[in-house]
Amino acid sequence: MNAVGLLARKEAGELLLSSRGLGWLLAVSVVLSGFGLLLIGSQELSLLDNAQVVYDMLGIVTGLGALLAVAAGADAIAGERERGSLLPLLLAPIPRGGLLLGKIAGQAAAWAVMLVLAMPYLWAVGSTGQNMIGGGIALVLLGTPVALGFGFLALGLGARLGSSRGTLMPCLILLLLSASPLLLGPSLRQSAIGVAFDTVNPFSAALNAYDAVVIDGQGAASQVWHGLVALIWLAGTAAFAGVGIHRLRH
Amino acid sequence: MSIHTLALALALTAMAGTAFAQSAPPTLRVELAADPANPAAPKMGDRLLFHSTIRNTGATPAPGVLAWVGLVQVDPGQEQPVDLEDWSAHKAITVKLVAPGESVTTDWPMRLIAAGHYRVVVTAASGEAALTPSPFVDLAIRQKPVVESNRVLPVALGVPALLLGGLLLRRRHTGGST
């Protein structure tokens, strides 16, 4: 296994197999469980279509994935610097691009595990099975670039700021802003500002794609524009992180 | 009584009868029926359709006829009129004139918002006709489960339990260190 692979394996192991990683997954599962249990208890929600519940669950999984990516990304470089382990890492025979790849591969593995974790929850709340497979595909295709993009963003910012706490704050604020469509339904985003925000916001792109696929029954392949927005976000943040890593000083 | 007097009496009687008929208030009859395509056991969220027919059975026209749909909940202890705010956007109609023998048919769509037992009624009235309700149409609305608790509960409780078990096992193996 090459150096990049070893780094990716180490990152994934820390994120998934350590007590801290398992704690993260436990926290994610508790959030998803809480949402599922609230759905059972609420009579008001009885008017919702089951597809609406699946859509909500997809949005929550994406939000949690992005949150996990932000935490891992903030720790990836800034955390290494604070622990004093950045210097040995930079001295290791790994190109800077490989370093970025190894770090993000660990986050990708954590996201993949989160997707696996989310599947039983989607099955549990999707009692009618309406567009479940399409929703799952949309989650993989749209949720992945959105979540990993936030990981790249935190990683790049951490490389510049050198402080995981200083990195977390702006990233979390941006994530909250970006994920606000989870709380504000489409009808509340019909103003010119709302439409413009939806057009450039990768989180909105993912949510609108979930809406189209799960609730409206459109094919996942028809969500090209939304996928493009998510990919532009991923490419932009990857470039941001790449430049940040290349400028790293010992 | 001469023949002329008799003719005059008959004419006066006929005129009086006509005048009575023209001054008698119009009579409305309202019928209400559920659409045959409505589900037999409706549940929350379903959209039902009801048809009403308002017929002027009187001999005089009924101007300015107003008809509206009403809904009352009849579950024991919960008897109440229902605010149709969320149930129906089509709550009333007005008809300028219903001629004698004429009938007006109206569709009343309704979205079922809450579970329970209900009675639907359409009532018609005009400035001259008496208030006329239709016969009730009874409605039993079932609760609609959005999620199935027998699917959610095992997952919602089982997955965190599994992860917690894994976490505790991990901590035991590593002696509490991360």
Side-chain angles (χ1 to χ4, degrees), chain B residues 88-100:
Chain B
S88 175
H90 188 60
K91 300 183 186 72
I93 60 157
T94 53
V95 184
K96 282 186 179 176
L97 185 80
V98 182

Side-chain angles (χ1 to χ4, degrees), chain A residues 33 73 93 99 107 113 165 195:
Chain A
S33 293
L99 185 63
Q107 291 184 30
V113 170
R165 186 181 295 175
V195 171

Side-chain angles (χ1 to χ4, degrees), chain B residues 140-160:
Chain B
I141 304 172
R142 289 183 296 131
Q143 186 81 37
K144 176 192 167 193
V146 175
V147 293
E148 295 174 18
S149 55
N150 57 354
R151 289 172 71 143
V152 174
L153 280 174
V155 172
L157 301 178
V159 173

Side-chain angles (χ1 to χ4, degrees), chain A residues 179-236:
Chain A
S180 59
L182 273 175
L183 301 174
L184 301 174
S187 59
L188 295 175
R189 309 199 307 271
Q190 294 303 312
S191 66
I193 295 174
V195 171
F197 178 70
D198 260 12
T199 306
V200 299
N201 180 14
F203 212 105
S204 294
L207 288 180
N208 290 334
Y210 300 158
D211 187 329
V213 171
V214 177
I215 296 176
D216 301 336
Q218 298 175 15
S222 66
Q223 302 305 306
V224 175
W225 170 250
H226 293 137
L228 198 61
V229 172
L231 285 177
I232 290 171
W233 160 253
L234 181 67

